[in-house]
mmCIF file of all heavy atoms in Angstrom:
data_model
loop_
_atom_site.group_PDB
_atom_site.id
_atom_site.type_symbol
_atom_site.label_atom_id
_atom_site.label_comp_id
_atom_site.label_asym_id
_atom_site.label_seq_id
_atom_site.Cartn_x
_atom_site.Cartn_y
_atom_site.Cartn_z
ATOM 1 N N VAL A 246 0.906 8.155 -13.729
ATOM 2 C CA VAL A 246 -0.013 9.150 -13.261
ATOM 3 C C VAL A 246 -0.417 10.023 -14.451
ATOM 4 O O VAL A 246 0.347 10.617 -15.068
ATOM 5 C CB VAL A 246 0.682 9.972 -12.159
ATOM 6 C CG1 VAL A 246 -0.357 11.043 -11.644
ATOM 7 C CG2 VAL A 246 1.134 9.142 -10.993
ATOM 8 N N GLY A 247 -1.795 10.041 -14.565
ATOM 9 C CA GLY A 247 -2.408 10.868 -15.690
ATOM 10 C C GLY A 247 -2.721 12.177 -15.205
ATOM 11 O O GLY A 247 -2.177 12.699 -14.193
ATOM 12 N N PRO A 248 -3.636 12.855 -15.887
ATOM 13 C CA PRO A 248 -4.043 14.258 -15.566
ATOM 14 C C PRO A 248 -4.787 14.264 -14.216
ATOM 15 O O PRO A 248 -5.383 13.296 -13.778
ATOM 16 C CB PRO A 248 -4.969 14.659 -16.634
ATOM 17 C CG PRO A 248 -4.935 13.572 -17.677
ATOM 18 C CD PRO A 248 -4.396 12.368 -17.064
ATOM 19 N N ARG A 249 -4.729 15.499 -13.658
ATOM 20 C CA ARG A 249 -5.508 15.747 -12.380
ATOM 21 C C ARG A 249 -7.013 15.861 -12.810
ATOM 22 O O ARG A 249 -7.335 16.599 -13.753
ATOM 23 C CB ARG A 249 -4.993 17.035 -11.799
ATOM 24 C CG ARG A 249 -5.453 17.330 -10.398
ATOM 25 C CD ARG A 249 -4.673 18.465 -9.864
ATOM 26 N NE ARG A 249 -5.124 18.785 -8.467
ATOM 27 C CZ ARG A 249 -6.160 19.632 -8.210
ATOM 28 N NH1 ARG A 249 -6.776 20.214 -9.208
ATOM 29 N NH2 ARG A 249 -6.507 19.874 -6.969
ATOM 30 N N HIS A 255 -5.863 12.107 -9.294
ATOM 31 C CA HIS A 255 -5.241 11.922 -10.650
ATOM 32 C C HIS A 255 -5.626 10.516 -11.155
ATOM 33 O O HIS A 255 -5.731 9.561 -10.421
ATOM 34 C CB HIS A 255 -3.714 11.907 -10.497
ATOM 35 C CG HIS A 255 -3.225 13.309 -10.089
ATOM 36 N ND1 HIS A 255 -3.396 13.754 -8.783
ATOM 37 C CD2 HIS A 255 -2.565 14.267 -10.779
ATOM 38 C CE1 HIS A 255 -2.839 14.965 -8.730
ATOM 39 N NE2 HIS A 255 -2.315 15.253 -9.901
ATOM 40 N N LEU A 416 4.268 16.825 -8.101
ATOM 41 C CA LEU A 416 4.287 16.314 -9.525
ATOM 42 C C LEU A 416 3.616 17.318 -10.378
ATOM 43 O O LEU A 416 4.112 17.623 -11.525
ATOM 44 C CB LEU A 416 3.575 14.927 -9.605
ATOM 45 C CG LEU A 416 3.542 14.291 -10.954
ATOM 46 C CD1 LEU A 416 5.011 13.935 -11.456
ATOM 47 C CD2 LEU A 416 2.694 13.049 -10.991
ATOM 48 N N ASP A 417 2.487 17.778 -9.986
ATOM 49 C CA ASP A 417 1.737 18.843 -10.768
ATOM 50 C C ASP A 417 2.599 20.024 -10.971
ATOM 51 O O ASP A 417 2.657 20.602 -12.050
ATOM 52 C CB ASP A 417 0.452 19.268 -10.118
ATOM 53 C CG ASP A 417 -0.638 18.137 -10.076
ATOM 54 O OD1 ASP A 417 -0.520 17.263 -10.894
ATOM 55 O OD2 ASP A 417 -1.501 18.139 -9.182
ATOM 56 N N ARG A 418 3.369 20.452 -9.983
ATOM 57 C CA ARG A 418 4.175 21.584 -9.962
ATOM 58 C C ARG A 418 5.287 21.388 -11.095
ATOM 59 O O ARG A 418 5.629 22.222 -11.917
ATOM 60 C CB ARG A 418 4.808 22.008 -8.668
ATOM 61 C CG ARG A 418 5.542 23.300 -8.639
ATOM 62 C CD ARG A 418 6.247 23.541 -7.352
ATOM 63 N NE ARG A 418 7.442 22.683 -7.149
ATOM 64 C CZ ARG A 418 8.599 22.959 -7.737
ATOM 65 N NH1 ARG A 418 8.720 23.966 -8.536
ATOM 66 N NH2 ARG A 418 9.609 22.047 -7.512
ATOM 67 N N LEU A 419 5.982 20.208 -10.966
ATOM 68 C CA LEU A 419 7.018 19.882 -11.867
ATOM 69 C C LEU A 419 6.546 19.740 -13.343
ATOM 70 O O LEU A 419 7.263 20.125 -14.255
ATOM 71 C CB LEU A 419 7.662 18.582 -11.453
ATOM 72 C CG LEU A 419 8.509 18.555 -10.100
ATOM 73 C CD1 LEU A 419 8.900 17.157 -9.762
ATOM 74 C CD2 LEU A 419 9.716 19.477 -10.205
ATOM 75 N N ARG A 420 5.319 19.270 -13.475
ATOM 76 C CA ARG A 420 4.764 19.135 -14.834
ATOM 77 C C ARG A 420 4.375 20.445 -15.413
ATOM 78 O O ARG A 420 4.199 20.588 -16.621
ATOM 79 C CB ARG A 420 3.599 18.136 -14.796
ATOM 80 C CG ARG A 420 3.984 16.691 -14.685
ATOM 81 C CD ARG A 420 2.836 15.743 -14.679
ATOM 82 N NE ARG A 420 3.237 14.364 -14.922
ATOM 83 C CZ ARG A 420 2.396 13.312 -14.816
ATOM 84 N NH1 ARG A 420 1.097 13.517 -14.413
ATOM 85 N NH2 ARG A 420 2.841 12.148 -15.011
ATOM 86 N N GLY A 421 4.025 21.414 -14.607
ATOM 87 C CA GLY A 421 3.631 22.725 -15.082
ATOM 88 C C GLY A 421 2.330 22.686 -15.799
ATOM 89 O O GLY A 421 1.439 21.919 -15.512
ATOM 90 N N THR A 422 2.235 23.429 -16.879
ATOM 91 C CA THR A 422 0.983 23.530 -17.607
ATOM 92 C C THR A 422 0.887 22.543 -18.818
ATOM 93 O O THR A 422 -0.080 22.507 -19.504
ATOM 94 C CB THR A 422 0.808 24.951 -18.122
ATOM 95 O OG1 THR A 422 1.955 25.300 -18.879
ATOM 96 C CG2 THR A 422 0.601 25.929 -17.025
ATOM 97 N N GLU A 423 1.936 21.728 -18.905
ATOM 98 C CA GLU A 423 1.975 20.794 -20.115
ATOM 99 C C GLU A 423 0.789 19.775 -19.997
ATOM 100 O O GLU A 423 0.556 19.342 -18.867
ATOM 101 C CB GLU A 423 3.222 20.036 -20.047
ATOM 102 C CG GLU A 423 4.160 20.101 -21.195
ATOM 103 C CD GLU A 423 5.482 19.438 -20.962
ATOM 104 O OE1 GLU A 423 5.450 18.198 -20.976
ATOM 105 O OE2 GLU A 423 6.490 20.165 -20.773
ATOM 106 N N ALA A 424 0.158 19.476 -21.096
ATOM 107 C CA ALA A 424 -0.896 18.578 -21.017
ATOM 108 C C ALA A 424 -0.401 17.103 -20.775
ATOM 109 O O ALA A 424 0.613 16.743 -21.322
ATOM 110 C CB ALA A 424 -1.667 18.514 -22.411
ATOM 111 N N THR A 425 -1.043 16.387 -19.853
ATOM 112 C CA THR A 425 -0.576 15.105 -19.444
ATOM 113 C C THR A 425 -1.445 14.076 -20.130
ATOM 114 O O THR A 425 -2.689 14.128 -20.090
ATOM 115 C CB THR A 425 -0.704 14.872 -17.947
ATOM 116 O OG1 THR A 425 -0.167 15.977 -17.296
ATOM 117 C CG2 THR A 425 -0.174 13.556 -17.488
ATOM 118 N N PRO A 426 -0.777 13.124 -20.936
ATOM 119 C CA PRO A 426 -1.575 12.035 -21.536
ATOM 120 C C PRO A 426 -2.271 11.130 -20.609
ATOM 121 O O PRO A 426 -1.831 11.018 -19.452
ATOM 122 C CB PRO A 426 -0.543 11.351 -22.469
ATOM 123 C CG PRO A 426 0.735 11.619 -21.766
ATOM 124 C CD PRO A 426 0.640 12.915 -21.060
ATOM 125 N N ALA A 427 -3.244 10.388 -21.025
ATOM 126 C CA ALA A 427 -3.869 9.383 -20.244
ATOM 127 C C ALA A 427 -2.854 8.316 -19.839
ATOM 128 O O ALA A 427 -1.994 7.940 -20.657
ATOM 129 C CB ALA A 427 -5.030 8.681 -21.050
#
Side-chain angles (χ1 to χ4, degrees):
V246 181
R249 192 170 179 274
H255 294 72
L416 180 67
D417 290 340
R418 190 187 71 77
L419 292 171
R420 282 178 167 173
T422 52
E423 241 173 71
T425 309

